[in-house]
Every structure is written in C-alpha cells, then in structure tokens.
Amino acid sequence: MAAFDGAAAEMQRNKQSVFIFPEGTRSYYSQPDLLPFKKGAFHLAVQAKVPIVPIVVANYSNVLHVPSRSFQAGDIPVKVLPPIPTAHLTSADVEDLTRDTRELMLEELAKLTEKARARGISMSQRQTEQIDGATTRSSGI
C-alpha cells in the first residue's frame, strides 16, 4: 500500500516502534471480547518488515465502564505476547495475519481475564451481570 511507504521507510531507517490499537476504537464489552481488527497496522508491519508484538489487556470494565459511567481504582493485568515475524510476508498474507493475530489475542484475553477474576482483580460475574442488565452506578463523572 502506497499510503504506508513513508511510515514504513521511517520505521526501518530510525528503528521506530509504532503502537496501534487494531480494533480502531474502544470496545465497551464487559466480557472478554475484541472488535474486528482493521488491517492497516498489519499492512504497515508487513511493508516495514517489522514484527508485530501483541499486547493484551485484561477486560477492565471493573475499572472503566463508560456506558454505566463507572470509573474506579483497580488493577488491570497486561501481557506482552511473543513477537510475530513479518519479514517473510507479503500483502497477500495480511488477511490471514490479521485473523490469526486477533484469534491469538482473544485466546490470551480470555485466559488473562479469567485469571484476574479468580484473583479478585477484574470484574466479578455479578458485577458483569449488573452492567449487562443495565444496572448503573454513579461515580461522579
């Protein structure tokens, strides 16, 4: 993609990293889930021949849940997954790369959120049901 030529060259020349949220926007799920990934970040990584380093954040609806206007202090577990090489890929591989990366991250998201809930860090099932059932809490926001 010609749109990424300059960015890819800059990344290679200056050994720059780019942090991109592939969902394209925030999701407000109270359960571990991801929106469909946009392909731009994957096209850029393939064009620049740089690895993708997936970073997975546990569901944090216990800390920030915009639909219910709930915001409170809490711990949010984060896991950095092993890099996914792209040096051998072409633009024809982007569809599969995007899908496979999303599936890998979704699997880790479920594990991370389950562990966090077991430790009492992330939202409990009762809290999740309250939010999903439109029970709201005022937090002063």
Side-chain angles (χ1 to χ4, degrees), residues 77 79 108 110-122:
K79 183 166 184 181
E108 189 58 42
K111 290 179 195 173
L112 198 58
T113 301
E114 183 179 324
K115 285 180 191 176
R117 287 180 177 164
R119 291 189 321 221
I121 291 175
S122 192

Side-chain angles (χ1 to χ4, degrees), residues 6-101:
E10 183 81 12
M11 289 170 65
Q12 290 172 329
R13 186 173 43 255
N14 296 316
K15 299 198 183 293
Q16 282 186 317
S17 296
V18 178
F19 197 88
I20 297 175
F21 294 87
E23 290 177 283
T25 188
R26 292 180 189 96
S27 61
Y28 296 114
Y29 297 126
S30 55
Q31 295 295 322
D33 202 356
L34 297 169
L35 293 169
F37 282 5
K38 307 235 182 264
K39 296 178 197 159
F42 300 92
H43 277 288
L44 180 60
V46 167
Q47 193 166 344
K49 303 289 185 201
V50 297
I52 295 170
V53 181
I55 300 173
V56 181
V57 179
N59 182 280
Y60 56 85
S61 57
N62 64 312
V63 174
L64 173 64
H65 191 260
V66 175
S68 66
R69 299 180 64 144
S70 175
F71 182 68
Q72 55 194 353
D75 295 328
I76 303 171
V78 176
K79 183 166 184 181
V80 179
L81 301 180
I84 300 168
T86 66
H88 63 287
L89 301 178
T90 69
S91 60
D93 299 309
V94 168
E95 184 83 33
D96 290 342
L97 177 63
T98 303
R99 183 196 62 241
D100 294 348
T101 302

